[in-house]
Amino acid sequence: MRTYDNKIIFAGPVGAGKTTAIAAISDIEPVRTDAAASDMTLQRKQETTVALDYGVLRLDEHTKVHLYGTPGQERFDFMWDIVSQGGIGLVLLLDNTRANPLRDLQFFLNAFSQLLKRAPLVIGVTKTDLKNAPGTDTYAGVLEKFGMRPPIFEIDSRQREDVKQLILALLFSIDPGLES
Ligand SMILES: Nc1nc2c(ncn2[C@@H]2O[C@H](COP(=O)(O)OP(=O)(O)O)[C@@H](O)[C@H]2O)c(=O)[nH]1
Ligand SMILES: [Mg+2]
């Protein structure tokens, strides 16, 4: 029996919940490369991802999803293309409490445009419990301008079920037969 290995990429700004989401969903102890934050990031949190996060989600006995998180800071952007190699889909997490999450959306769509030429996208908006605007309609409006209509969910990245919903939506847009 054949096993399917899929690689999914998590991207988004510092603090959006990439490391947390991968830890929440992974069936193995996740690999993290967090280091003490030394710069501007310190205003948002104590530790930040410097290379990547890695986890594995076993969907069924034949299907494994490898989860790769990218570092949020732009000074580590050389890792973005490296981590994206071979990815079949992109999970973009956006932090609703940041100064301008709509600009974050546009920035990451541009930064990951190579991957998005061949792989589908799903959007997870985090921390809506702390700040409820902008809503998903507003994000959808920006995405329309890029000619994109990905699934958009408000999620809490600490909640396994929320993260799983994102991953299933992404896999479903790759293979609509998956859920049957
Ligand atoms: N209140 C709230 N906190 C969240 C939510 N999602 C993530 N967090 C917290 O925000 C922080 C995100 O950090 P992290 O996962 O390191 O973000 P990363 O920089 O994208 O890897 C963690 O302390 C999470 O517990 C959410 O939906 N609501
Ligand atoms: Mg991180």
Side-chain angles (χ1 to χ4, degrees):
M1 188 66 74
R2 190 167 165 198
T3 25
Y4 294 92
D5 283 317
N6 307 298
K7 174 177 176 179
I8 285 180
I9 317 302
F10 283 68
V14 171
K18 303 175 294 297
T19 300
T20 305
I22 289 173
I25 194 86
S26 182
D27 292 321
I28 63 159
E29 189 60 34
V31 178
R32 305 173 191 230
T33 58
D34 278 356
S38 56
D39 53 9
M40 295 249 306
T41 306
L42 199 51
Q43 292 165 14
R44 301 196 72 86
K45 53 194 190 124
Q46 302 281 309
E47 292 203 314
T48 191
T49 304
V50 293
L52 54 78
D53 298 302
Y54 174 69
V56 178
L57 171 64
R58 193 177 277 276
L59 276 184
D60 60 41
E61 58 185 311
H62 311 302
T63 316
K64 260 190 190 175
V65 185
H66 301 268
L67 314 160
Y68 285 82
T70 54
Q73 286 175 284
E74 256 176 88
R75 68 191 173 94
F76 297 119
D77 64 0
F78 60 91
M79 283 302 296
W80 297 352
D81 286 339
I82 296 170
V83 176
S84 295
Q85 298 284 324
I88 60 157
L90 180 67
V91 176
L92 178 54
L93 296 183
L94 296 165
D95 175 350
N96 237 26
T97 67
R98 275 172 55 93
N100 195 338
L102 296 172
R103 197 181 335 149
D104 293 337
L105 169 61
Q106 297 179 55
F107 175 83
F108 281 95
L109 290 179
N110 282 321
F112 285 85
S113 60
Q114 277 304 113
L115 177 62
L116 290 173
K117 273 182 201 156
R118 56 177 181 78
L121 171 69
V122 64
I123 308 276
V125 181
T126 64
K127 301 188 183 173
T128 56
D129 54 316
L130 302 175
K131 190 166 178 287
N132 64 8
T136 52
D137 286 358
T138 311
Y139 285 102
V142 173
L143 285 151
E144 278 285 342
K145 288 186 195 141
F146 283 75
M148 302 176 100
R149 286 188 182 198
I152 307 170
F153 299 95
E154 293 186 350
I155 69 144
D156 184 326
S157 63
R158 298 164 296 184
Q159 300 298 325
R160 180 180 168 93
E161 285 309 311
D162 285 15
V163 181
K164 195 162 180 185
Q165 180 185 39
L166 279 182
I167 292 170
L168 290 178
L170 188 62
L171 294 177
F172 187 68
S173 55
I174 296 164
D175 177 7
L178 203 80
E179 278 190 344
S180 62

